[in-house]
């Protein structure tokens, strides 16, 4: 029977990104996807600097950046166009060494991910393959799937299976995980159009129209594409509101039929759900399989990318035998304990925003919930830490750290890919011996001082996913942090068990 280190069920952005990251660590990876090709119409339209940094690791960031539109921010307005809330997005390169936010066309991303994956010999991709049975046997997982092009059933095995198979996840059913519900369930009509010629009056900002009887959102996407998301009222049927004549009626405040063509219309029910269990034995969940969010934060695809960035290097350490036994179990348990609170915080914030948008007296509600010094409402992007896991338990653990620029202008992650990295004031690490494979970035060799100042520490240790193990202000504190470093996921496979995690 053919055996793989990891089998990924689902070939959307989360599954494809995970396959790239596992391949970079040398893992033999299988991707099984029911559909023949990626979905050719728009779906997700936003990702942030944290996601672009992951794309940097897999070698598609520069090419993807050329296909995006920079995002100046979101404005919340009333029916007369008065701004109720401003949510600006920083412009130019930010702490992650990329722009803060990007608007994109999802088929562009999926095509790029898949094209580049063809260059990775560690990855086998099989499309038109429908997985129908999963058997976790304790030491491996056996999968059965049908090759629908030939009507033939195949058996394969993998050390671990990751379900990136969406909201109706088969893998979640095998785990038998219920979903924690945060109370948001609304139908919205999503309309994507292609303009016949540019219409500058629509603007580059995303606009949230706070009209309680029918909230709506406008999104500027790359090229001539534009999107509207419009609330569907309880008495309206999904079929009727999706008819072209009704769609154009709803768009009439912004656009005439002769100005654009409808590319796609679909009614979605937006949910706010988080899986109670993200792992059972050798089965794990990522992306929409374990969390679903309303769209108001633009964090749906971002959350799935964060999942696989947290998971890939842990799977690599375990599959290579670099972390074994009880230490391996504890390491895998940190995936849920770290990611679940972070994902839940984004979803709860999106639910709160959705509630404010739908509120009668929205202006007063926004001012009360999101006050600024001048009495208006103002919002800033959130960056919640990950939950308890590998860190030292301090408030400086689990923070996403920026990406210093080295003295020659290169980005840190290009110099030390997939490695643990010590970032410190130069004087604090003089003569310090580091474990093999651990990178060192100092204030003498980079602009790390700015990043350390944001953390509020003189030194830190970064994991391969660029979250902190903690902060240090003394040599002794830094040496204590260094004892928490695990082997590099790029290290060759080992039969020798490493010291167990603290």
């Amino acid at each position: 029977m053919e055996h793989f280190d990891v089998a990924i069920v689902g070939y959307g952005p989360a599954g494809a990104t995970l396959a790239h990251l596992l391949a970079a660590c040398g893992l033999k990876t299988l991707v099984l996807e029911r559909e023949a090709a990626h979905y050719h119409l728009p779906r997700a339209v936003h990702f942030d600097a944290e996601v672009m940094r992951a794309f940097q690791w897999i070698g598609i960031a520069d090419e993807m950046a050329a296909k995006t539109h920079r995002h100046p921010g979101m404005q919340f307005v009333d029916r007369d166009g008065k701004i109720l809330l401003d949510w600006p997005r920083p412009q130019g390169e930010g702490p992650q060494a990329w722009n803060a936010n990007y608007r994109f066309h999802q088929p562009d991303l999926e095509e790029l991910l898949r094209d580049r994956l063809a260059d990775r010999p560690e990855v086998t991709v099989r499309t038109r393959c429908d997985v129908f049975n999963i058997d976790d046997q304790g030491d491996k997982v056996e999968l059965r799937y049908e090759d629908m092009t030939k009507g033939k059933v195949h058996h394969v095995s993998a050390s671990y299976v990751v379900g990136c198979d969406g909201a109706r996840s088969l893998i979640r059913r095998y785990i038998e995980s219920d979903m924690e519900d945060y109370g948001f369930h609304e139908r919205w009509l999503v309309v994507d159009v292609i303009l016949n010629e540019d219409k500058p009056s629509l603007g580059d900002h995303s606009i949230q129209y706070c009209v309680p009887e029918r909230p709506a959102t406008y999104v500027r996407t790359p090229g001539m594409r534009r999107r509207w998301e419009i609330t569907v009222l309880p008495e309206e049927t999904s079929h009727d509101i999706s008819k072209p004549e009704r769609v154009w009626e709803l768009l009439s405040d912004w656009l005439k039929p002769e100005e654009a063509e409808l590319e796609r219309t679909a009614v979605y029910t937006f949910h706010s759900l988080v899986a109670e269990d993200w792992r059972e034995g050798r089965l794990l969940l990522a992306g929409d399989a374990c969390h679903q969010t309303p769209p108001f934060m633009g964090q749906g695809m971002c959350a799935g990318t964060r999942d696989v960035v947290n998971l890939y290097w842990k799977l690599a350490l375990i599959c290579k035998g670099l972390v074994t036994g009880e230490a391996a179990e504890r390491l895998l348990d940190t995936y849920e304990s770290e990611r679940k609170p972070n994902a839940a915080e984004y979803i709860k914030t999106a639910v709160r925003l959705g509630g404010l948008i739908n509120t009668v007296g929205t202006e007063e509600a926004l001012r009360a919930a999101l006050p600024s010094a001048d009495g208006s409402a103002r919002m800033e992007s959130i960056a919640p830490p990950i939950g308890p896991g590998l860190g030292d338990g301090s408030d400086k653990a689990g923070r996403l750290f920026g990406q210093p620029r080295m003295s020659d202008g290169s980005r840190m992650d290009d110099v030390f890919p997939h490695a643990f990295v010590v970032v410190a004031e130069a004087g604090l690490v003089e003569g310090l011996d580091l474990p093999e494979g651990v990178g060192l970035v100092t204030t003498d060799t980079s602009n790390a001082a700015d990043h350390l100042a944001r953390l509020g520490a003189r030194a830190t240790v970064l994991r391969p996913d660029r979250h902190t193990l903690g902060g240090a202000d003394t040599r002794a504190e830094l040496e204590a942090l260094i004892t928490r470093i695990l082997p590099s996921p790029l290290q060759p496979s080992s039969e020798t068990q490493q010291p167990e995690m603290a």
Side-chain angles (χ1 to χ4, degrees), residues 198-312:
D198 195 15
K199 190 168 183 179
S201 61
L202 292 173
D204 283 348
H205 281 79
S206 295
I207 307 293
Q208 180 63 60
Y209 294 92
C210 301
V211 181
E213 59 268 27
R214 195 187 294 273
T217 307
Y218 160 76
V219 181
R220 199 262 197 238
T221 49
M224 303 296 276
R225 287 187 165 87
R226 305 291 184 270
R227 168 175 288 186
W228 281 265
E229 298 171 354
I230 302 169
T231 302
V232 179
L233 303 181
E235 64 272 17
E236 295 172 323
T237 68
S238 298
H239 175 265
D240 287 343
I241 202 169
S242 300
K243 291 178 179 178
E245 58 272 22
R246 180 60 176 141
V247 171
W248 284 118
E249 183 181 340
L250 291 168
L251 295 182
S252 60
D253 286 344
W254 303 285
L255 207 58
K256 299 186 175 101
E258 59 269 23
E259 293 179 307
E261 63 177 86
L262 297 177
E263 184 177 25
R264 171 177 176 259
T265 60
V267 173
Y268 280 91
T269 301
F270 295 136
H271 296 292
S272 55
L273 303 169
V274 177
E276 292 183 359
D277 301 303
W278 293 35
R279 176 196 170 213
E280 177 65 36
R282 292 177 175 268
L283 308 181
L284 301 108
L285 304 174
D288 287 354
C290 53
H291 44 67
Q292 295 149 47
T293 182
F296 309 114
M297 297 286 292
Q299 289 293 317
M301 193 192 84
C302 298
T305 305
R306 292 188 185 97
D307 293 342
V308 301
V309 163
N310 183 285
L311 182 59
Y312 85 94

Side-chain angles (χ1 to χ4, degrees), residues 64-316:
M64 191 62 217
K67 299 176 182 290
T68 64
H69 181 80
R70 301 297 164 82
H71 179 37
M74 176 176 279
Q75 295 173 339
F76 294 68
V77 306
D78 65 12
R79 69 178 70 250
D80 299 320
K82 176 186 174 184
I83 295 179
L84 307 177
L85 168 66
D86 189 21
W87 183 8
R89 305 297 175 91
Q91 299 302 297
E93 184 176 301
Q96 301 298 313
W98 294 97
N99 282 66
N101 293 272
Y102 299 85
R103 292 293 185 191
F104 79 112
H105 182 52
Q106 184 168 330
D108 289 344
L109 171 62
E110 297 213 46
E111 182 178 358
L112 192 54
L113 284 167
R114 293 182 179 211
D115 285 350
R116 295 297 173 272
L117 208 53
D119 299 329
R120 294 192 182 273
E122 303 88 352
V123 179
T124 300
V125 177
R126 294 174 184 162
T127 58
R128 293 295 288 146
C129 289
D130 186 22
V131 179
F132 63 87
N133 187 262
I134 304 286
D135 182 14
D136 185 347
Q137 300 182 344
D139 60 341
K140 66 180 185 300
V141 183
E142 289 194 2
L143 302 92
R144 282 190 282 170
Y145 66 90
E146 180 185 1
D147 179 345
M148 294 188 289
T149 65
K150 300 174 182 176
K152 182 171 177 158
V153 172
H154 295 268
H155 296 234
V156 295
S157 66
S159 296
Y160 292 91
V161 173
V162 182
C164 298
D165 50 344
R168 299 182 182 91
S169 171
L170 173 70
I171 309 305
R172 191 177 69 239
R173 291 177 206 159
Y174 273 95
I175 290 177
E176 297 187 10
S177 173
D178 292 332
M179 301 291 275
E180 188 175 350
D181 187 349
Y182 292 105
F184 189 97
H185 304 278
E186 292 185 3
R187 288 184 304 152
W188 285 61
L189 173 69
V190 178
V191 181
D192 290 289
V193 309
I194 301 177
L195 299 177
N196 294 327
E197 58 183 47
D198 195 15
K199 190 168 183 179
S201 61
L202 292 173
D204 283 348
H205 281 79
S206 295
I207 307 293
Q208 180 63 60
Y209 294 92
C210 301
V211 181
E213 59 268 27
R214 195 187 294 273
T217 307
Y218 160 76
V219 181
R220 199 262 197 238
T221 49
M224 303 296 276
R225 287 187 165 87
R226 305 291 184 270
R227 168 175 288 186
W228 281 265
E229 298 171 354
I230 302 169
T231 302
V232 179
L233 303 181
E235 64 272 17
E236 295 172 323
T237 68
S238 298
H239 175 265
D240 287 343
I241 202 169
S242 300
K243 291 178 179 178
E245 58 272 22
R246 180 60 176 141
V247 171
W248 284 118
E249 183 181 340
L250 291 168
L251 295 182
S252 60
D253 286 344
W254 303 285
L255 207 58
K256 299 186 175 101
E258 59 269 23
E259 293 179 307
E261 63 177 86
L262 297 177
E263 184 177 25
R264 171 177 176 259
T265 60
V267 173
Y268 280 91
T269 301
F270 295 136
H271 296 292
S272 55
L273 303 169
V274 177
E276 292 183 359
D277 301 303
W278 293 35
R279 176 196 170 213
E280 177 65 36
R282 292 177 175 268
L283 308 181
L284 301 108
L285 304 174
D288 287 354
C290 53
H291 44 67
Q292 295 149 47
T293 182
F296 309 114
M297 297 286 292
Q299 289 293 317
M301 193 192 84
C302 298
T305 305
R306 292 188 185 97
D307 293 342
V308 301
V309 163
N310 183 285
L311 182 59
Y312 85 94
W313 60 277
K314 298 175 181 178
L315 286 175

